Amino acid sequence: TLESVNAQTFAGVEQIVVCSPDKDLAQLVSGDEIVCWDRRREIVYNDAAVFEKFGVRPASIPDYLALVGDAADGYPGIPGWGAKSAATVLARFEHLEAIPKDAAQLGLGAARGQRLSDTLQAQMTDALLFRRLSTLRHDVPLRETLSDLEWRGARPELKQICQQLGEKTLPDRITRWRAE
């Protein structure tokens, strides 16, 4: 599990910062120990910030994406399920399998709740597939040591690549170059 990997592999690490605005990665967030940083917006997402943004806890992000879809990753979600309805239901029930078939329990209003419940029940196989597609795997062996993962700077070959591509400003913006 991710928890055991963290305990074994990252002993002595105070915080892991995932540098990406990709909403799939919000499922990795754990308190203030593992956070996501959206550098474009200068926002750090911890547990509370993920809940504020999506209306669900990090553990429910794959279920949320299964319902609302993710165009960037190529799956449509379940028709009729939007961000608000998914957040309302998953904040209460957390995962797809826990969502009751009784629409009155969803907290969405009678007609809307019934329509969304019926759609979800009819397309539960797709919803479970979409969740699987959006779930990050925790069982991939990590062969690198923490030292192997340490950022040592940009490789000098990057200057050559930039020159070949006609990119003149990028090398000046890099603050740390690897000594090789």
Side-chain angles (χ1 to χ4, degrees):
T1 68
L2 185 59
E3 294 76 20
S4 65
V5 168
N6 290 342
Q8 295 167 9
T9 308
F10 299 113
V13 174
E14 292 179 28
Q15 186 180 54
I16 296 171
V17 180
V18 178
C19 302
S20 175
D22 191 338
K23 57 188 166 228
D24 297 43
L25 297 176
Q27 66 190 277
L28 296 174
V29 170
S30 179
D32 289 315
E33 290 78 33
I34 303 175
V35 297
C36 286
W37 176 42
D38 181 343
R39 69 176 184 82
R40 284 186 248 158
R41 294 185 189 102
E42 288 296 324
I43 299 172
V44 175
Y45 292 97
N46 61 6
D47 269 354
V50 168
F51 190 84
E52 184 178 327
K53 179 175 177 142
F54 296 104
V56 298
R57 296 180 50 244
S60 296
I61 290 293
D63 300 86
Y64 174 88
L65 294 173
L67 292 174
V68 302
D70 190 343
D73 289 335
Y75 51 89
I78 303 304
W81 284 87
K84 283 186 173 186
S85 54
T88 298
V89 172
L90 291 171
R92 290 180 68 191
F93 302 106
E94 196 167 351
H95 297 294
L96 296 172
E97 298 87 351
I99 298 174
K101 292 179 182 177
D102 179 4
Q105 296 179 34
L106 299 183
L108 298 173
R112 183 171 165 226
Q114 190 63 57
R115 188 171 58 252
L116 291 177
S117 179
D118 291 346
T119 303
L120 178 59
Q121 295 312 310
Q123 297 189 28
M124 183 60 89
T125 301
D126 286 344
L128 294 171
L129 172 63
F130 300 153
R131 181 180 64 188
R132 183 172 180 211
L133 291 172
S134 66
T135 300
L136 297 175
R137 303 237 350 229
H138 295 183
D139 61 346
V140 178
L142 181 63
R143 293 179 180 88
E144 293 82 5
T145 66
L146 188 57
S147 178
D148 294 334
L149 300 174
E150 181 181 352
W151 169 249
R152 292 177 175 84
R155 294 183 180 271
E157 298 88 31
L158 180 59
K159 288 180 184 177
Q160 293 172 317
I161 293 170
C162 287
Q163 188 176 28
Q164 290 170 352
L165 295 173
E167 171 54 58
K168 297 175 182 170
T169 62
L170 180 62
D172 294 335
R173 296 190 328 240
I174 295 174
T175 58
R176 186 174 179 187
W177 291 92
R178 184 179 294 216
E180 287 190 31

